[in-house]
Amino acid sequence: MPAAGKPRIALLIDAQNVAPDIAGPLLVRLSKDGDPVVRRLYGFNESWAAAGREHAFLACPTVAAVGSKNAADIDLVIGAMDLLQAGVADTFCLVSSDSDFVALALRLREAGRTVIGVGREACASKLQPAYHLFLTIESLRSAKVSVTTAPTPARLNEAKALIGETLRANPRTNGKMSISELGVLMRKAQPAFVSKKIRTQ
Protein backbone atom coordinates (compact mmCIF):
# COMPACT_ATOMS: atom_id res chain seq x y z
CA MET A 1 0.00 0.00 0.00
CA PRO A 2 1.33 3.49 -0.80
CA ALA A 3 2.06 5.80 2.11
CA ALA A 4 -1.06 7.70 3.08
CA GLY A 5 -1.33 11.08 1.41
CA LYS A 6 1.84 10.72 -0.66
CA PRO A 7 1.68 10.98 -4.46
CA ARG A 8 2.13 7.65 -6.25
CA ILE A 9 5.14 7.71 -8.54
CA ALA A 10 5.69 5.54 -11.61
CA LEU A 11 9.46 5.27 -12.06
CA LEU A 12 10.28 4.20 -15.61
CA ILE A 13 13.95 3.71 -16.46
CA ASP A 14 15.50 3.30 -19.89
CA ALA A 15 18.08 0.73 -18.77
CA GLN A 16 19.89 0.92 -22.09
CA ASN A 17 20.52 4.62 -21.57
CA VAL A 18 21.34 4.88 -17.87
CA ALA A 19 23.86 3.15 -15.58
CA PRO A 20 22.57 1.28 -12.49
CA ASP A 21 24.57 3.28 -9.94
CA ILE A 22 21.90 5.99 -9.77
CA ALA A 23 19.13 3.61 -8.63
CA GLY A 24 19.71 4.08 -4.89
CA PRO A 25 20.25 7.86 -4.90
CA LEU A 26 17.28 8.33 -7.22
CA LEU A 27 14.90 6.39 -4.98
CA VAL A 28 16.08 8.39 -1.97
CA ARG A 29 15.46 11.63 -3.86
CA LEU A 30 12.03 10.56 -5.13
CA SER A 31 10.94 9.61 -1.62
CA LYS A 32 10.82 13.36 -0.93
CA ASP A 33 8.17 13.78 -3.63
CA GLY A 34 6.08 10.67 -3.13
CA ASP A 35 6.03 6.88 -3.09
CA PRO A 36 7.58 5.03 -6.08
CA VAL A 37 4.89 2.35 -6.24
CA VAL A 38 5.83 1.39 -9.83
CA ARG A 39 9.50 0.64 -10.56
CA ARG A 40 10.24 -0.62 -14.04
CA LEU A 41 13.35 -1.21 -16.11
CA TYR A 42 12.89 -1.15 -19.87
CA GLY A 43 15.53 -2.68 -22.13
CA PHE A 44 16.72 -4.63 -19.10
CA ASN A 45 20.26 -5.99 -19.30
CA GLU A 46 22.60 -7.87 -16.98
CA SER A 47 24.36 -4.71 -15.82
CA TRP A 48 21.12 -3.84 -14.02
CA ALA A 49 20.58 -7.28 -12.49
CA ALA A 50 22.02 -6.57 -9.02
CA ALA A 51 20.50 -3.09 -8.69
CA GLY A 52 17.17 -4.39 -9.97
CA ARG A 53 17.02 -7.04 -7.25
CA GLU A 54 18.25 -4.73 -4.50
CA HIS A 55 15.69 -2.01 -5.20
CA ALA A 56 12.76 -4.22 -6.26
CA PHE A 57 12.47 -3.18 -9.91
CA LEU A 58 10.31 -5.04 -12.38
CA ALA A 59 12.48 -6.00 -15.34
CA CYS A 60 10.78 -5.54 -18.69
CA PRO A 61 12.91 -7.43 -21.26
CA THR A 62 12.59 -6.16 -24.80
CA VAL A 63 12.08 -8.52 -27.71
CA ALA A 64 13.54 -6.40 -30.48
CA ALA A 65 13.39 -6.93 -34.20
CA VAL A 66 16.77 -7.46 -35.81
CA GLY A 67 18.62 -4.16 -36.00
CA SER A 68 16.02 -2.19 -34.05
CA LYS A 69 17.39 0.37 -31.58
CA ASN A 70 14.06 1.77 -30.45
CA ALA A 71 12.22 -1.30 -29.18
CA ALA A 72 12.89 -0.51 -25.49
CA ASP A 73 11.82 3.11 -26.00
CA ILE A 74 8.56 2.00 -27.56
CA ASP A 75 7.95 -0.46 -24.72
CA LEU A 76 8.50 2.32 -22.18
CA VAL A 77 6.04 4.63 -23.94
CA ILE A 78 3.41 1.87 -24.13
CA GLY A 79 3.97 1.09 -20.46
CA ALA A 80 3.59 4.73 -19.48
CA MET A 81 0.34 5.10 -21.42
CA ASP A 82 -1.04 1.89 -19.90
CA LEU A 83 -0.27 3.23 -16.42
CA LEU A 84 -1.84 6.57 -17.28
CA GLN A 85 -4.99 4.85 -18.51
CA ALA A 86 -5.14 2.67 -15.39
CA GLY A 87 -4.78 5.72 -13.15
CA VAL A 88 -2.25 4.08 -10.85
CA ALA A 89 0.21 7.00 -10.72
CA ASP A 90 -0.01 10.69 -9.86
CA THR A 91 3.58 11.38 -10.92
CA PHE A 92 5.73 9.88 -13.66
CA CYS A 93 9.52 9.83 -13.48
CA LEU A 94 11.18 9.18 -16.85
CA VAL A 95 14.84 8.27 -16.61
CA SER A 96 16.70 8.71 -19.89
CA SER A 97 18.80 11.31 -21.68
CA ASP A 98 17.00 10.44 -24.91
CA SER A 99 15.11 13.45 -26.26
CA ASP A 100 12.60 11.09 -27.89
CA PHE A 101 10.77 10.98 -24.55
CA VAL A 102 9.97 14.70 -24.61
CA ALA A 103 6.72 13.98 -26.49
CA LEU A 104 5.74 11.43 -23.83
CA ALA A 105 6.48 13.92 -21.04
CA LEU A 106 4.31 16.56 -22.69
CA ARG A 107 1.46 14.08 -23.18
CA LEU A 108 1.56 13.07 -19.52
CA ARG A 109 1.53 16.73 -18.51
CA GLU A 110 -1.55 17.31 -20.68
CA ALA A 111 -3.24 14.52 -18.76
CA GLY A 112 -2.66 16.41 -15.52
CA ARG A 113 0.20 14.33 -14.21
CA THR A 114 3.37 15.67 -12.63
CA VAL A 115 6.38 14.61 -14.71
CA ILE A 116 9.94 14.34 -13.40
CA GLY A 117 12.82 13.86 -15.81
CA VAL A 118 16.25 12.41 -15.08
CA GLY A 119 19.11 12.67 -17.54
CA ARG A 120 22.67 13.78 -18.17
CA GLU A 121 23.59 17.37 -17.42
CA ALA A 122 24.71 17.90 -21.02
CA CYS A 123 21.14 17.18 -22.18
CA ALA A 124 19.39 19.33 -19.59
CA SER A 125 18.85 22.38 -21.80
CA LYS A 126 16.82 20.46 -24.37
CA LEU A 127 15.02 18.13 -21.96
CA GLN A 128 14.27 20.31 -18.93
CA PRO A 129 11.45 22.45 -20.42
CA ALA A 130 9.28 19.35 -20.93
CA TYR A 131 9.31 18.39 -17.25
CA HIS A 132 7.98 19.89 -14.05
CA LEU A 133 11.27 18.91 -12.41
CA PHE A 134 14.51 17.78 -14.03
CA LEU A 135 17.24 16.00 -12.06
CA THR A 136 20.69 15.47 -13.51
CA ILE A 137 22.42 12.12 -13.22
CA GLU A 138 25.57 13.91 -12.09
CA SER A 139 23.79 15.57 -9.15
CA LEU A 140 22.33 12.24 -8.05
CA ARG A 141 25.73 10.58 -8.14
CA SER A 142 27.32 13.32 -6.07
CA ALA A 143 24.50 13.59 -3.56
CA LYS A 144 25.47 12.65 -0.06
CA VAL A 145 22.74 10.84 1.80
CA SER A 146 22.90 11.47 5.50
CA VAL A 147 22.31 8.40 7.60
CA THR A 148 21.33 8.51 11.25
CA THR A 149 23.06 5.71 13.13
CA ALA A 150 21.21 4.31 16.11
CA PRO A 151 23.21 4.52 19.36
CA THR A 152 24.76 1.30 20.61
CA PRO A 153 23.54 -0.24 23.89
CA ALA A 154 26.84 0.79 25.54
CA ARG A 155 26.36 4.38 24.37
CA LEU A 156 22.80 4.43 25.70
CA ASN A 157 23.93 3.08 29.07
CA GLU A 158 26.65 5.72 29.24
CA ALA A 159 24.10 8.44 28.48
CA LYS A 160 21.65 7.14 31.10
CA ALA A 161 24.40 7.01 33.74
CA LEU A 162 25.47 10.58 32.94
CA ILE A 163 21.87 11.81 33.14
CA GLY A 164 21.47 10.14 36.54
CA GLU A 165 24.72 11.61 37.87
CA THR A 166 23.79 15.08 36.61
CA LEU A 167 20.36 14.98 38.24
CA ARG A 168 21.78 13.78 41.55
CA ALA A 169 24.48 16.45 41.52
CA ASN A 170 21.98 19.19 40.71
CA PRO A 171 18.83 18.52 42.72
CA ARG A 172 15.76 20.65 42.19
CA THR A 173 13.19 21.28 44.92
CA ASN A 174 10.32 20.78 42.50
CA GLY A 175 11.95 17.70 40.95
CA LYS A 176 11.92 19.24 37.48
CA MET A 177 14.67 20.27 35.05
CA SER A 178 14.39 21.43 31.46
CA ILE A 179 16.07 19.40 28.71
CA SER A 180 18.20 22.38 27.67
CA GLU A 181 19.40 22.92 31.25
CA LEU A 182 20.15 19.22 31.60
CA GLY A 183 22.19 19.33 28.40
CA VAL A 184 24.25 22.27 29.63
CA LEU A 185 24.99 20.57 32.95
CA MET A 186 25.90 17.30 31.21
CA ARG A 187 28.38 19.06 28.92
CA LYS A 188 29.93 20.78 31.93
CA ALA A 189 30.28 17.46 33.73
CA GLN A 190 31.71 15.59 30.73
CA PRO A 191 32.73 17.91 27.88
CA ALA A 192 34.00 14.93 25.85
CA PHE A 193 30.54 13.38 25.78
CA VAL A 194 28.95 14.79 22.62
CA SER A 195 25.44 13.75 21.65
CA LYS A 196 22.97 15.87 19.69
CA LYS A 197 20.19 13.36 20.16
CA ILE A 198 19.84 10.72 22.87
CA ARG A 199 16.99 8.36 22.10
CA THR A 200 15.69 5.89 24.65
CA GLN A 201 13.05 3.27 24.22
Side-chain angles (χ1 to χ4, degrees):
M1 294 289 291
K6 297 187 71 175
R8 299 164 300 170
I9 300 176
L11 173 55
L12 311 180
I13 296 179
D14 178 0
Q16 295 179 342
N17 190 271
V18 180
D21 62 326
I22 69 162
L26 176 56
L27 285 169
V28 170
R29 175 59 184 81
L30 289 180
S31 68
K32 299 178 181 180
D33 300 294
D35 184 8
V37 294
V38 177
R39 305 176 186 185
R40 294 186 183 180
L41 297 169
Y42 290 90
F44 176 79
N45 55 70
E46 282 304 312
S47 69
W48 270 91
R53 288 191 299 269
E54 180 182 356
H55 299 292
F57 280 95
L58 174 65
C60 302
T62 297
V63 181
V66 177
S68 173
K69 296 181 179 180
N70 297 319
D73 295 357
I74 294 171
D75 285 346
L76 191 154
V77 172
I78 293 172
M81 297 309 294
D82 284 345
L83 292 168
L84 175 64
Q85 184 67 28
V88 300
D90 309 297
T91 299
F92 284 79
C93 180
L94 309 179
V95 185
S96 178
S97 296
D98 192 336
S99 59
D100 289 346
F101 291 116
V102 165
L104 173 61
L106 295 175
R107 175 64 183 85
L108 294 171
R109 288 183 63 148
E110 285 182 356
R113 301 300 190 270
T114 298
V115 189
I116 300 172
V118 180
R120 291 189 297 273
E121 188 173 345
C123 304
S125 61
K126 63 180 178 181
L127 296 177
Q128 190 166 2
Y131 297 94
H132 291 96
L133 172 67
F134 188 81
L135 307 172
T136 66
I137 290 172
E138 291 82 0
S139 68
L140 290 170
R141 284 177 174 155
S142 63
K144 295 180 179 179
V145 181
S146 60
V147 178
T148 301
T149 304
T152 63
R155 185 71 168 171
L156 280 175
N157 289 335
E158 185 182 356
K160 290 176 182 177
L162 179 56
I163 290 172
E165 292 172 8
T166 303
L167 292 174
R168 286 191 293 273
N170 299 274
R172 294 291 185 273
T173 54
N174 60 2
K176 296 180 180 180
M177 182 183 295
S178 70
I179 293 296
S180 60
E181 184 182 5
L182 176 61
V184 169
L185 293 171
M186 287 172 65
R187 282 191 290 274
K188 285 182 178 179
Q190 289 195 28
F193 187 90
V194 178
S195 179
K196 293 182 179 179
K197 290 183 179 180
I198 300 174
R199 295 182 295 179
T200 57
Q201 300 298 322

